[in-house]
Every structure is written in C-alpha cells, then in structure tokens.
Amino acid sequence: MSQMIFRVLGPLSVEDRGCCRTPTAAKQRQVLVLLLLKANSVVPLPQFVEELWEGTPPARAIAALHTYVMQLRKALEQLRLPDGSGGRLLTRKGGYELVVKPGELDLDVFEHRVRAALAVRDTALRAHGLREALRLWSAPALVDVVAGPILRAAITLLQRKQLDAISHRIEADLELGRHHELIGELTALVHHHRTHEEFTAQLMLALYRSGRQVDALAAFHRLRKAVAEDSGGALSRRLHELYTNILSADATLDPPSSTRSRLSLDMVVPMAV
C-alpha cells in the first residue's frame, strides 16, 4: 500500500513525505473533504454549491468555486501520483474528481481493516484486527472542519461506522471472556450514547458475568427511560429477552467455558492476614 497522506478520521490532514500540505482556508477544506469522501468519483458542481452555501449561494457561486478549486490544486500540486502520471485534482464534465490511490486515505484503510477483521474466524485475531483498525481514529472525524449539510450527513455516517467497529470489537472481547475489563469502557460508551441498544446490551452482559446482576438490570431501565424521552419508542425484543434471561440467570449468558474457572477466582474475596 502507498504511504498514507490523507487523513479524515480526526483532524483533517494532508501530508507529503512528512511535510504538511493541509489547506487552512475554510472553504478549501470543505471542498477537499467533499472530494476525499467521494474519492475517485466525480463530485457534481451542485453538490459543492449546496455544501458551501447551504441553499443560499451568492450570485457568482460557480466562479467562487472555481477559485477555491484552483487554490486547492496549487496546495496539492506537490502530491504527485505514485506513478508520476500527473496531478490529482481533475476537472471533469460537470464537476471535479480527486484521485486517491489504495492506502493513501485513512478512511479506506480503516474500512479495509474492518472488513478483513470481520472475515476472520479466530476471535482473538478478529478482536486484534478491529483494535488495529480503530487505532486510525485520533479524534472525532473531521473535528476541525466547518461542515455544511452534505458533510454533516457524511460525518454522521463515519461516526456510525466507528461505533459499529467498536461494538464488533467489544463483542469479540466478550467472547474471549474479558467482561471485567470492558465494564469501564462500556459504561463510558453508554453515558455518551444513551440510546445505543448494542452498547447497553453489552454492558448488561458484562455486568451480569461479573456478578453484578442488579446493576445489569438497572442499565436496562436507564436505556428504556432514555429511549422513551428521546423518541417515545420501545426497546427491541432482543433487549427484553436479555433482561428476562438475566432475571432468570439463564445459563446461556455464562462466560465462555475457557474463562469460567478464571471468573470464579476473580470473585474470591482475599482473606485478611
């Protein structure tokens, strides 16, 4: 894979052999991000206009856009393609296209690593692969970019992809019997994502497996209250079944057999000496 030079999983960053090439002007940054999130595809002019001016473009919006692209092209002119075939920012019929090669955009690398990890049958390797993918996130996606309507929707999707990867990684860690270690992380995730069912379900399971049945049931009630306040909706059947199984101490909720002996030792209270 090529050296990564475009980063969107955190602050926007453009690097070339260790040199920062990140544009500083707000409009140029918006244009660049829109191109990056649709890399190797033509972004039509109307999408740039909608993103930059949110439905109220100035009289000379297209001329202004051409200026931003020209300035951006100058900023990126040092970023030659690996084969030396020319510039990256191309003018196409009705729009613009940014050429990005495999391995040059952290988002592409993240998605590749997640797909590869989820295809692995070995649970420990799957957890490791997902953890390595998540290391690419240094902060919330595009945290320092002023976003219009198109980028706001795109950032929301990126955040969902990150949370999905976290959830898959936690699922693998639960399969490995790491419920004790996960409680702190899951508590924080549930605090920041009050209506996220999967995180609450995972927290309930981790708490139950750690001998904290009452706390596991309380997590369910907090989620139900949060969902009711947020949307007036109801919890899924799966959450209700998990609640019932915790109440009845259903054996299907027990940790993997390879970790049960360790669980019993963890819960022994040391004798005073």
Side-chain angles (χ1 to χ4, degrees):
M1 295 180 114
S2 304
Q3 180 182 6
M4 189 188 305
I5 57 175
F6 299 107
R7 292 182 173 83
V8 297
L9 304 182
L12 175 64
S13 173
V14 181
E15 293 186 10
D16 176 35
R17 296 180 292 274
C19 297
C20 178
R21 306 288 184 186
T22 312
T24 57
K27 296 294 189 186
Q28 289 182 40
R29 291 162 69 85
Q30 278 181 277
V31 169
L32 174 58
V33 172
L34 197 56
L35 288 163
L36 282 171
L37 295 183
K38 299 187 178 183
N40 304 310
S41 300
V42 178
V43 180
L45 297 179
Q47 289 192 18
F48 288 108
V49 173
E50 175 63 19
E51 168 61 25
L52 294 172
W53 293 288
E54 300 199 38
T56 56
R60 294 179 55 80
I62 297 300
L65 172 61
H66 291 330
T67 299
Y68 299 144
V69 170
M70 179 184 67
Q71 294 167 340
L72 183 59
R73 185 175 277 128
K74 288 181 179 179
L76 300 180
E77 65 183 358
Q78 299 296 325
L79 303 179
R80 310 299 290 179
L81 292 170
D83 58 7
S85 59
R88 293 175 175 271
L89 182 45
L90 308 177
T91 301
R92 300 299 195 191
K93 184 177 179 180
Y96 295 99
E97 176 183 353
L98 184 67
V99 179
V100 176
K101 296 297 184 180
E104 292 183 336
L105 174 62
D106 61 352
L107 173 59
D108 289 344
V109 177
F110 168 74
E111 292 178 336
H112 172 79
R113 289 182 182 179
V114 169
R115 287 193 300 269
L118 293 178
V120 174
R121 299 184 65 178
D122 183 273
T123 306
L125 290 177
R126 185 165 68 253
H128 175 76
L130 290 166
R131 194 169 281 107
E132 288 301 303
L134 287 162
R135 290 188 199 280
L136 293 169
W137 289 75
S138 60
L142 299 165
V143 65
D144 59 346
V145 174
V146 176
I150 297 176
L151 289 187
R152 285 197 293 269
I155 290 170
T156 298
L157 179 59
L158 291 179
Q159 292 169 339
R160 189 175 303 127
K161 289 181 178 182
Q162 181 190 26
L163 294 179
D164 286 346
I166 292 172
S167 180
H168 283 303
R169 195 223 81 223
I170 290 174
E171 179 183 356
D173 281 338
L174 283 170
E175 290 178 23
L176 294 168
R178 297 170 177 166
H179 37 277
H180 290 303
E181 301 97 308
L182 290 169
I183 290 176
E185 178 185 6
L186 281 167
T187 299
L189 286 168
V190 168
H191 175 75
H192 288 101
H193 306 281
R194 296 172 60 246
T195 60
H196 195 290
E197 281 202 4
E198 187 62 28
F199 287 147
T200 292
Q202 291 172 330
L203 176 60
M204 290 169 64
L205 183 57
L207 288 167
Y208 174 76
R209 287 181 174 178
S210 299
R212 297 170 59 180
Q213 182 189 45
V214 173
D215 291 334
L217 299 174
F220 172 89
H221 291 297
R222 286 195 300 272
L223 173 63
R224 184 168 63 178
K225 180 180 179 181
V227 170
E229 293 174 348
D230 182 68
S231 63
L235 299 185
S236 67
R237 178 179 177 180
R238 175 173 174 266
L239 259 292
H240 283 280
E241 289 177 349
L242 176 59
Y243 180 83
T244 301
N245 288 341
I246 289 175
L247 273 177
S248 62
D250 193 294
T252 60
L253 301 183
D254 290 347
S257 57
S258 61
T259 67
R260 286 175 188 166
S261 59
R262 184 179 63 188
L263 175 64
S264 63
L265 291 174
D266 287 344
M267 297 184 66
V268 171
V269 179
M271 296 180 60
V273 293

